[in-house]
Amino acid sequence: MEYKFSHIEKKWQQTWKETNAYKVSNDSDRPKYYVLDMFPYPSGAGLHVGHPLGYIASDIFARYKRLKGFNVLHPMGYDAFGLPAEQYAIDHGIHPAVSTDNNINNFRQQLDNIGFCYDWDREIRTSDPGYYKWTQWIFLQLFHSFFNRQTKKAEPIAELVKVFEKEGNAAHPCPGDSSIKFTAQLWAGFDQAQQMDILMEYRLAFCGYGEVNWCEALGTVLANDEVINGVSERGGFPVVKKKLRQWYLRITEYADRLLEGLERIEFSDAMKEMQSNWIGKSYGAEISFAFKPHDGKLTSAEAKLTVYTTRPDTIFGVDFMVIAPEHDWIETITTPDQKQAVEDYIAYVKSRSERERMAEKKISGVFTGAYVLNPFDGREIPVWISEYVLAGYGTGAIMAVPCGDERDHKFARHFNIPITNIIGGHYNGEEANPTKDAILENSGFLNGLVMREAMVVSIDKLEELGIGVRKVNYKMRDAAFSRQRYWGEPFPIAWKEGVAYPLAESELPVALPDLEEIKPGVEGEGPLSNLPEWIKSSPIGGERESSTMPGYAGSSWYFLRYMDPHNDGTFCDRKVSDYWGQVDLYIGGTEHAVGHLLYSRMWTKALYDLGHIGFDEPFKKLVNQGKIGGDSRLIYRVRGTNEFVSVGLKDQYETDELHVDVTIVDGLELDVEAFTNSRAEYANATFVLEDGKYICGSRLEKMGKRYFNVVNPDDIVAKFGADTFRMYEMFLGPVEQDKPWDTKGIEGVHRFIKKFWRLFYDEVKGQVWNTEQPTDAEFKVLHRTIKKIEEDTERFSFNTAVSTFMICLNDLTDLKCNKKDILQPLLVLLTPYAPHVTEELWQLLGNTSSVLNAAYPTFEPKYLVESNKEYPISVNGKLRTTINIALDAPQEDVERIVLSNDVIQKWMEGKPHKRVIYVKGKMVNVVI
RNA sequence: ACCCCGGUGGCGGAAUCGGUAGACGCGCUGGACUUAAAAUCCAGUCUGCAGUAAUGCGGGUACGGGUUCAACUCCCGUCUGGGGUACCA
C-alpha cells in the first residue's frame, strides 16, 4: 500500500467539510483558546509560498490546543476594502466589488489546498454591509465620546455636556484647542452650532481642518504611516501638505495608556520598541520668554513666547530662539526692517514640497528682528524662523542651545550667531555635545551643578517663578480617519450648515452606493460626491459626508466580530466576548507595527471604557512571522544578440543579466526547451553551455512577480501534498525569521512522510504495523518525542519539532519498531503538523472517530529515567574524555573517579588539582 | 544620524538557564539494488596535522578585547546584513 497523498488529502478535506469538523461553538465547558491570523487583503496576485507561513504556524498551534482539550477559535476572513481594488477598477473598469469577490474566491481555493482548520461559518469581509454596519456603529460610539483626562478613559459626551451646563469647561481643558475656555453661563448662551463646534474639539472621532498628507496622484489623504520618505507607500507618488477638512481619531488622548498597555502584553521587544518610539513620549518643560517690545506691532511687554524643551538645565546656554514658519505670531513680532525678508522666507518654505524638505535638509532661516529676554539673566535673545522647527510638535517654538544640540549648533554656525559655552571642556568648539553629565558653567544659579541634577532644580525654579511648567509631550499625532475614496465604509454623518450631525444607530448601515465610474470629486472630495442624489439622501436632511473610512477602520475590531459573526442586534454580544476574551495568540507580519496594531489597541480600549467589552488589550501574545524570500534565477545574454551564456562562462563576454522564471529551472540548470518555448523572442535563442548544461546564476531577493521568482503553493501542494508543504514551511527555520525559499529542500520532508508511512504499510508486504508489546527502549523513544514536541510546540519552535519527528522516525527504524502502541500516540503528536496523512493512518489502525479529537498523549517521565550518564570531563575547560558515572553519585565519588582516570591523569601531568567543578547531570571540569 | 534585531559548515538551520558546537534536512562524494533511470537503502561529509585504520592532537561560531573553572551564549569596542524612525527640541 502506497502513500497516495493527493487522494488522501482530498478525501479527508471533503470528509471534514461534510462533518463540520472545524465548527466551533460559543458554548463549551472546555477552556477557551483564541488563535488569530492577521486577515489578508485579497490582492489579485494570489498567494505565494511566503504568505501561508504564519497561517500554517497558527493552524498547527490551534490544532495542538484542540488536542490538548481547549475550545479553540480559529477564524479567517478578508480585509476587503482598500485602495488596490479601487485603482484596479479605475484602470480596468471592473467594479471593486467584483474584483474583490474574484480575488477572495481565488484566495479561498489556495487556502483550502493547504488544509487549514478554519471555521468558515465565521468568515467575515469588511466590505460586507452586515459587517461595516458595526464599523460605522463603533465610529458613532467614538463620535459620541470624549476622553476624560481625570478618569483617563472614554466617557459619553452627553456626560460632558452636563458638566458644561453646570460649571463650564474649567475642569476639562479642551484637547483640540486649549484656548477654548467658558463658564456654564457662557455655554448656555452658545447656539447649537457653537456648542457642536466646541464638542467637536472633544470627540474621540472628530472632524477638523488640518494639514494632511495629500497625494494628488491617488486623489486622497494618507496617514503618516502610509507615507514613506515623502511619497505614498502604495504607488510611490509624491505627497504634499495640504489643509483640508478631515476626520480624525483622537488617539493622542490614549498615548499614555497605549504605552502602559505594552507592559501587559507579549509582543516582541522590537515591536514594543517601534510602538513606543512612534508614541514618542518625552518629559520636559514649557518655558515662557517675555518679548522685548519694539517699534513694530510688538508694543506690549505682556507678550510671551512659549517653548517646549527637554533640557531646561541648559537655559543659560540659549543663544537664540527658533519658531516654525507656520507660527501664529510671526506677523506680530516681525520688525518693519525684517518684514520683507520674513515674507520671502515663508514663501520659500511654502514652495518646498515635503519631498524636497526630506531629500535636502538645507540650513535655512530668517531673523524676525524681535528679541525675548532670558528670565534669569535678562540677556536679549534673537528670535529666528526656520523650517527645522515643526509647527505640530510642542509649541512650535524652541530655545536653541548650540553648544548642546547639533541642529542648533549648525544653525548658529551658518548664521554666525555667537555660541555660549555652558559645559566647559565638554564642548570643543567644533560640534555640539548633548551630554547630561557636564558640570554647568556660565549658568547663574545652576553653576557647579551636574546637568542631570540641574534639570530638576531648574524646573522647580521655573515653576516657582511661574514662568515654566513641567510638560510631557508625544510625537504621535491624531490619526487621519477619512479618505477621498470610494471603496471604503461611508460615514454615518450628514452636514447641515457646516455642522456635522450623526445619524441614528437605527439608520445603519449607511450602504455604499453603487458607482458606475470611479473618479475624484471636485476640490479634494471623494468619488461619492459625484452622486448628488445619494449625497442628498440623508434621513436627517443636509448632505452626506462624501469621504469614506480608511483601510484600518474595518481591521481595528474584526477579531471581535469573529466571536459572534452573525449577530445583527449588536457588534458582538457581551456574553460571547466575555467567553472568548482576548486573542490568546495573534500571528502576522511586522509591517503593521505602528498602524493596525496601534489602532486596534485604541479601539479596544475605547470599547472597554464604554463598557462594550471586558478587556482593554486585544492581543495577549503576538508572534511576527518572517518573510520568505525568493531565490531568483539569472541568465546572461550576450549584449545585442540572442545568445545566452552559462554563468561560468559569462565573464568571457559582455552580457546583460536577465531574470528567468524559476519554474523552468531545475536547481540551477535551465530547461532550455521550456525557455525557448516561453516567449516568441526566445524561440531562436542560442546557448553557450558548460558540460552540456546551461547553468543559471542565482540571487536571493524579495519574492515578487517582477523577479520571476514567485513559487505558488498550489504547485508545491500538487507535487508533494499539503502535509509535506506544511511541514517544510515550518522546517525552513524559526517562524519569526526571514529566510529564503528553496524548493529543492522539500524532498527531505517528503521522504520523511513517505518513510513514516512505511512504518505502517509497505508497498510489497502491505500492513507491517502490529500489536506486539513495545520494549522499554521503544517507549523511551516515544516519550522522549512526546516531551520534545510538546516543549517545541509551546514555544513556537516548529522547525525543531519537525526535526524531532525525523529523529524519532530514524530511531524507530533502527529499532525496527512497527508496534501500534508506539505508532498510535505518535500519530496524535504529528496531527497538528500533517493532519491528512495522520487521519488516514489513524483510521487504518482501526479507529472510528477522527484523530482531530484524539487525546493528546501524556508524557511519562518514568521511561526516561536514567541511572548513569556519560559525563564529558574537561581539564581546565578543555574536553579530554568522557566517563560513565552514576547520576546520583556524590561529589567525593565523582572526584575520586575522575582524578583516577588514566586520560585525566595524563593531562594533569602530575600537578595537584585546585578544584573539581561538578555540575550534576551536565559535566565535570578539573582545574589545575 | 539615532534606535532595534541578526552574523554558526557549500546551503537552511540546531545547541531552550553560561556546561560535549555543527542536531535535523538539503547538497555533495562513494557504495548496494537495476540492462538503465527513478525510487529505495548503506557509508562519509567544519577544518589542519599524524596514522592503513581505530584514533589522537591542534584550530574554529564576523573581528579585537574582557569577565568566568567553563563563552555561539554575558560585557566593551569594531566591521557587516536587515528593519524602524526621520530635523520631535
Side-chain angles (χ1 to χ4, degrees), chain A residues 510-539:
Chain A
V510 177
L512 181 65
D514 214 7
L515 194 55
E516 286 288 304
E517 190 197 353
I518 299 168
K519 55 178 189 223
V522 285
E523 292 183 37
E525 288 219 46
L528 288 177
S529 66
N530 296 324
L531 286 175
E533 317 84 69
W534 183 79
I535 291 291
K536 293 199 184 82
S537 68
S538 149

mmCIF file of all heavy atoms in Angstrom, chain A residues 510-539:
data_model
loop_
_atom_site.group_PDB
_atom_site.id
_atom_site.type_symbol
_atom_site.label_atom_id
_atom_site.label_comp_id
_atom_site.label_asym_id
_atom_site.label_seq_id
_atom_site.Cartn_x
_atom_site.Cartn_y
_atom_site.Cartn_z
ATOM 1 N N VAL A 510 -25.107 52.601 6.670
ATOM 2 C CA VAL A 510 -25.158 53.522 5.552
ATOM 3 C C VAL A 510 -24.482 52.778 4.409
ATOM 4 O O VAL A 510 -23.263 52.623 4.400
ATOM 5 C CB VAL A 510 -24.412 54.834 5.854
ATOM 6 C CG1 VAL A 510 -24.434 55.736 4.631
ATOM 7 C CG2 VAL A 510 -25.016 55.512 7.060
ATOM 8 N N ALA A 511 -25.300 52.262 3.509
ATOM 9 C CA ALA A 511 -24.757 51.392 2.462
ATOM 10 C C ALA A 511 -23.911 52.186 1.481
ATOM 11 O O ALA A 511 -24.232 53.333 1.157
ATOM 12 C CB ALA A 511 -25.899 50.696 1.737
ATOM 13 N N LEU A 512 -22.858 51.562 1.031
ATOM 14 C CA LEU A 512 -22.030 52.174 -0.002
ATOM 15 C C LEU A 512 -22.805 52.096 -1.312
ATOM 16 O O LEU A 512 -23.133 51.011 -1.780
ATOM 17 C CB LEU A 512 -20.704 51.403 -0.113
ATOM 18 C CG LEU A 512 -19.688 51.910 -1.126
ATOM 19 C CD1 LEU A 512 -19.190 53.293 -0.743
ATOM 20 C CD2 LEU A 512 -18.520 50.943 -1.246
ATOM 21 N N PRO A 513 -23.132 53.245 -1.906
ATOM 22 C CA PRO A 513 -23.944 53.192 -3.125
ATOM 23 C C PRO A 513 -23.127 52.685 -4.307
ATOM 24 O O PRO A 513 -21.899 52.787 -4.303
ATOM 25 C CB PRO A 513 -24.337 54.655 -3.328
ATOM 26 C CG PRO A 513 -23.255 55.438 -2.679
ATOM 27 C CD PRO A 513 -22.762 54.608 -1.527
ATOM 28 N N ASP A 514 -23.827 52.157 -5.271
ATOM 29 C CA ASP A 514 -23.137 51.679 -6.466
ATOM 30 C C ASP A 514 -22.654 52.878 -7.277
ATOM 31 O O ASP A 514 -23.299 53.916 -7.279
ATOM 32 C CB ASP A 514 -24.125 50.858 -7.299
ATOM 33 C CG ASP A 514 -23.402 49.730 -8.003
ATOM 34 O OD1 ASP A 514 -22.198 49.537 -7.713
ATOM 35 O OD2 ASP A 514 -24.024 49.054 -8.822
ATOM 36 N N LEU A 515 -21.553 52.714 -7.941
ATOM 37 C CA LEU A 515 -20.996 53.832 -8.704
ATOM 38 C C LEU A 515 -20.500 53.283 -10.033
ATOM 39 O O LEU A 515 -19.712 52.355 -10.080
ATOM 40 C CB LEU A 515 -19.848 54.457 -7.903
ATOM 41 C CG LEU A 515 -19.319 55.813 -8.309
ATOM 42 C CD1 LEU A 515 -20.436 56.836 -8.364
ATOM 43 C CD2 LEU A 515 -18.266 56.269 -7.318
ATOM 44 N N GLU A 516 -21.004 53.849 -11.111
ATOM 45 C CA GLU A 516 -20.644 53.381 -12.454
ATOM 46 C C GLU A 516 -19.164 53.593 -12.725
ATOM 47 O O GLU A 516 -18.420 52.669 -13.041
ATOM 48 C CB GLU A 516 -21.456 54.145 -13.508
ATOM 49 C CG GLU A 516 -22.910 53.749 -13.596
ATOM 50 C CD GLU A 516 -23.095 52.374 -14.230
ATOM 51 O OE1 GLU A 516 -22.603 52.186 -15.363
ATOM 52 O OE2 GLU A 516 -23.702 51.492 -13.583
ATOM 53 N N GLU A 517 -18.771 54.838 -12.548
ATOM 54 C CA GLU A 517 -17.387 55.171 -12.859
ATOM 55 C C GLU A 517 -16.760 55.863 -11.650
ATOM 56 O O GLU A 517 -17.356 56.779 -11.086
ATOM 57 C CB GLU A 517 -17.336 56.103 -14.072
ATOM 58 C CG GLU A 517 -15.943 56.297 -14.608
ATOM 59 C CD GLU A 517 -15.843 57.509 -15.531
ATOM 60 O OE1 GLU A 517 -16.899 58.106 -15.858
ATOM 61 O OE2 GLU A 517 -14.724 57.867 -15.896
ATOM 62 N N ILE A 518 -15.601 55.394 -11.254
ATOM 63 C CA ILE A 518 -14.966 55.965 -10.077
ATOM 64 C C ILE A 518 -14.001 57.058 -10.494
ATOM 65 O O ILE A 518 -13.020 56.811 -11.203
ATOM 66 C CB ILE A 518 -14.209 54.872 -9.296
ATOM 67 C CG1 ILE A 518 -15.198 53.799 -8.838
ATOM 68 C CG2 ILE A 518 -13.471 55.474 -8.110
ATOM 69 C CD1 ILE A 518 -14.547 52.550 -8.318
ATOM 70 N N LYS A 519 -14.301 58.284 -10.100
ATOM 71 C CA LYS A 519 -13.353 59.368 -10.358
ATOM 72 C C LYS A 519 -13.448 60.373 -9.217
ATOM 73 O O LYS A 519 -14.502 60.511 -8.583
ATOM 74 C CB LYS A 519 -13.635 60.029 -11.712
ATOM 75 C CG LYS A 519 -15.057 60.520 -11.866
ATOM 76 C CD LYS A 519 -15.245 61.199 -13.203
ATOM 77 C CE LYS A 519 -16.602 61.874 -13.228
ATOM 78 N NZ LYS A 519 -17.354 61.731 -14.428
ATOM 79 N N PRO A 520 -12.369 61.081 -8.940
ATOM 80 C CA PRO A 520 -12.348 62.005 -7.814
ATOM 81 C C PRO A 520 -13.420 63.083 -7.981
ATOM 82 O O PRO A 520 -13.774 63.449 -9.098
ATOM 83 C CB PRO A 520 -10.961 62.638 -7.883
ATOM 84 C CG PRO A 520 -10.144 61.732 -8.726
ATOM 85 C CD PRO A 520 -11.090 61.045 -9.651
ATOM 86 N N GLY A 521 -13.957 63.547 -6.866
ATOM 87 C CA GLY A 521 -14.890 64.662 -6.920
ATOM 88 C C GLY A 521 -14.122 65.965 -7.033
ATOM 89 O O GLY A 521 -12.905 65.968 -7.166
ATOM 90 N N VAL A 522 -14.851 67.085 -6.947
ATOM 91 C CA VAL A 522 -14.171 68.372 -7.070
ATOM 92 C C VAL A 522 -13.517 68.772 -5.753
ATOM 93 O O VAL A 522 -13.970 68.378 -4.679
ATOM 94 C CB VAL A 522 -15.153 69.480 -7.532
ATOM 95 C CG1 VAL A 522 -15.457 69.318 -9.013
ATOM 96 C CG2 VAL A 522 -16.424 69.447 -6.699
ATOM 97 N N GLU A 523 -12.448 69.547 -5.874
ATOM 98 C CA GLU A 523 -11.758 70.139 -4.720
ATOM 99 C C GLU A 523 -11.466 69.151 -3.599
ATOM 100 O O GLU A 523 -11.806 69.357 -2.445
ATOM 101 C CB GLU A 523 -12.584 71.308 -4.170
ATOM 102 C CG GLU A 523 -12.603 72.463 -5.149
ATOM 103 C CD GLU A 523 -13.357 73.655 -4.589
ATOM 104 O OE1 GLU A 523 -13.249 73.896 -3.378
ATOM 105 O OE2 GLU A 523 -14.036 74.335 -5.375
ATOM 106 N N GLY A 524 -10.850 68.063 -3.988
ATOM 107 C CA GLY A 524 -10.393 67.124 -2.978
ATOM 108 C C GLY A 524 -11.494 66.304 -2.358
ATOM 109 O O GLY A 524 -11.276 65.616 -1.363
ATOM 110 N N GLU A 525 -12.688 66.351 -2.895
ATOM 111 C CA GLU A 525 -13.742 65.496 -2.361
ATOM 112 C C GLU A 525 -13.654 64.111 -2.986
ATOM 113 O O GLU A 525 -13.087 63.918 -4.057
ATOM 114 C CB GLU A 525 -15.117 66.118 -2.642
ATOM 115 C CG GLU A 525 -15.369 67.330 -1.772
ATOM 116 C CD GLU A 525 -16.811 67.397 -1.285
ATOM 117 O OE1 GLU A 525 -17.327 66.365 -0.833
ATOM 118 O OE2 GLU A 525 -17.400 68.485 -1.384
ATOM 119 N N GLY A 526 -14.278 63.152 -2.291
ATOM 120 C CA GLY A 526 -14.196 61.775 -2.767
ATOM 121 C C GLY A 526 -15.146 61.494 -3.909
ATOM 122 O O GLY A 526 -16.016 62.325 -4.232
ATOM 123 N N PRO A 527 -15.020 60.343 -4.540
ATOM 124 C CA PRO A 527 -15.870 59.953 -5.677
ATOM 125 C C PRO A 527 -17.358 59.978 -5.337
ATOM 126 O O PRO A 527 -18.180 60.219 -6.221
ATOM 127 C CB PRO A 527 -15.425 58.515 -5.982
ATOM 128 C CG PRO A 527 -14.042 58.420 -5.444
ATOM 129 C CD PRO A 527 -13.997 59.319 -4.250
ATOM 130 N N LEU A 528 -17.711 59.749 -4.073
ATOM 131 C CA LEU A 528 -19.128 59.722 -3.715
ATOM 132 C C LEU A 528 -19.802 61.075 -3.937
ATOM 133 O O LEU A 528 -21.023 61.153 -4.085
ATOM 134 C CB LEU A 528 -19.303 59.295 -2.255
ATOM 135 C CG LEU A 528 -19.021 57.822 -1.963
ATOM 136 C CD1 LEU A 528 -19.144 57.539 -0.472
ATOM 137 C CD2 LEU A 528 -19.962 56.925 -2.757
ATOM 138 N N SER A 529 -18.999 62.145 -3.975
ATOM 139 C CA SER A 529 -19.584 63.469 -4.185
ATOM 140 C C SER A 529 -20.132 63.602 -5.606
ATOM 141 O O SER A 529 -20.872 64.530 -5.907
ATOM 142 C CB SER A 529 -18.549 64.566 -3.915
ATOM 143 O OG SER A 529 -17.518 64.485 -4.870
ATOM 144 N N ASN A 530 -19.774 62.649 -6.475
ATOM 145 C CA ASN A 530 -20.324 62.661 -7.838
ATOM 146 C C ASN A 530 -21.733 62.076 -7.902
ATOM 147 O O ASN A 530 -22.288 61.915 -8.979
ATOM 148 C CB ASN A 530 -19.409 61.859 -8.782
ATOM 149 C CG ASN A 530 -18.027 62.513 -8.889
ATOM 150 O OD1 ASN A 530 -17.913 63.732 -8.877
ATOM 151 N ND2 ASN A 530 -16.991 61.694 -8.973
ATOM 152 N N LEU A 531 -22.270 61.685 -6.747
ATOM 153 C CA LEU A 531 -23.626 61.115 -6.695
ATOM 154 C C LEU A 531 -24.549 62.068 -5.939
ATOM 155 O O LEU A 531 -24.839 61.845 -4.762
ATOM 156 C CB LEU A 531 -23.612 59.771 -5.974
ATOM 157 C CG LEU A 531 -23.047 58.545 -6.679
ATOM 158 C CD1 LEU A 531 -23.021 57.374 -5.722
ATOM 159 C CD2 LEU A 531 -23.846 58.208 -7.925
ATOM 160 N N PRO A 532 -25.030 63.110 -6.584
ATOM 161 C CA PRO A 532 -25.805 64.122 -5.865
ATOM 162 C C PRO A 532 -27.047 63.560 -5.170
ATOM 163 O O PRO A 532 -27.369 63.979 -4.061
ATOM 164 C CB PRO A 532 -26.200 65.123 -6.961
ATOM 165 C CG PRO A 532 -25.778 64.561 -8.260
ATOM 166 C CD PRO A 532 -24.836 63.451 -8.004
ATOM 167 N N GLU A 533 -27.722 62.586 -5.803
ATOM 168 C CA GLU A 533 -28.941 62.044 -5.169
ATOM 169 C C GLU A 533 -28.577 61.362 -3.852
ATOM 170 O O GLU A 533 -29.279 61.482 -2.852
ATOM 171 C CB GLU A 533 -29.645 61.000 -6.058
ATOM 172 C CG GLU A 533 -29.743 61.356 -7.522
ATOM 173 C CD GLU A 533 -28.473 60.990 -8.264
ATOM 174 O OE1 GLU A 533 -28.205 59.787 -8.414
ATOM 175 O OE2 GLU A 533 -27.730 61.905 -8.689
ATOM 176 N N TRP A 534 -27.472 60.622 -3.883
ATOM 177 C CA TRP A 534 -27.062 59.943 -2.669
ATOM 178 C C TRP A 534 -26.666 60.954 -1.593
ATOM 179 O O TRP A 534 -27.057 60.829 -0.437
ATOM 180 C CB TRP A 534 -25.897 58.982 -2.954
ATOM 181 C CG TRP A 534 -25.484 58.205 -1.735
ATOM 182 C CD1 TRP A 534 -26.111 57.105 -1.232
ATOM 183 C CD2 TRP A 534 -24.400 58.492 -0.858
ATOM 184 N NE1 TRP A 534 -25.480 56.679 -0.095
ATOM 185 C CE2 TRP A 534 -24.419 57.515 0.162
ATOM 186 C CE3 TRP A 534 -23.414 59.489 -0.823
ATOM 187 C CZ2 TRP A 534 -23.496 57.496 1.200
ATOM 188 C CZ3 TRP A 534 -22.483 59.462 0.212
ATOM 189 C CH2 TRP A 534 -22.536 58.474 1.208
ATOM 190 N N ILE A 535 -25.917 61.947 -1.995
ATOM 191 C CA ILE A 535 -25.464 62.970 -1.060
ATOM 192 C C ILE A 535 -26.657 63.623 -0.354
ATOM 193 O O ILE A 535 -26.630 63.901 0.838
ATOM 194 C CB ILE A 535 -24.633 64.057 -1.805
ATOM 195 C CG1 ILE A 535 -23.291 63.480 -2.269
ATOM 196 C CG2 ILE A 535 -24.418 65.287 -0.938
ATOM 197 C CD1 ILE A 535 -22.311 63.161 -1.163
ATOM 198 N N LYS A 536 -27.729 63.782 -1.124
ATOM 199 C CA LYS A 536 -28.900 64.463 -0.558
ATOM 200 C C LYS A 536 -29.877 63.508 0.122
ATOM 201 O O LYS A 536 -30.932 63.931 0.586
ATOM 202 C CB LYS A 536 -29.618 65.226 -1.666
ATOM 203 C CG LYS A 536 -28.802 66.400 -2.213
ATOM 204 C CD LYS A 536 -29.681 67.391 -2.948
ATOM 205 C CE LYS A 536 -28.862 68.496 -3.570
ATOM 206 N NZ LYS A 536 -28.270 68.099 -4.877
ATOM 207 N N SER A 537 -29.532 62.223 0.155
ATOM 208 C CA SER A 537 -30.495 61.227 0.640
ATOM 209 C C SER A 537 -30.425 60.990 2.148
ATOM 210 O O SER A 537 -31.000 60.033 2.652
ATOM 211 C CB SER A 537 -30.266 59.899 -0.083
ATOM 212 O OG SER A 537 -29.016 59.352 0.316
ATOM 213 N N SER A 538 -29.735 61.869 2.866
ATOM 214 C CA SER A 538 -29.612 61.659 4.302
ATOM 215 C C SER A 538 -30.959 61.707 5.007
ATOM 216 O O SER A 538 -31.763 62.604 4.735
ATOM 217 C CB SER A 538 -28.685 62.739 4.875
ATOM 218 O OG SER A 538 -29.055 63.034 6.195
ATOM 219 N N PRO A 539 -31.211 60.748 5.884
ATOM 220 C CA PRO A 539 -32.506 60.712 6.576
ATOM 221 C C PRO A 539 -32.710 61.878 7.527
ATOM 222 O O PRO A 539 -33.830 62.113 7.985
ATOM 223 C CB PRO A 539 -32.460 59.383 7.333
ATOM 224 C CG PRO A 539 -31.007 59.063 7.464
ATOM 225 C CD PRO A 539 -30.338 59.639 6.272
#
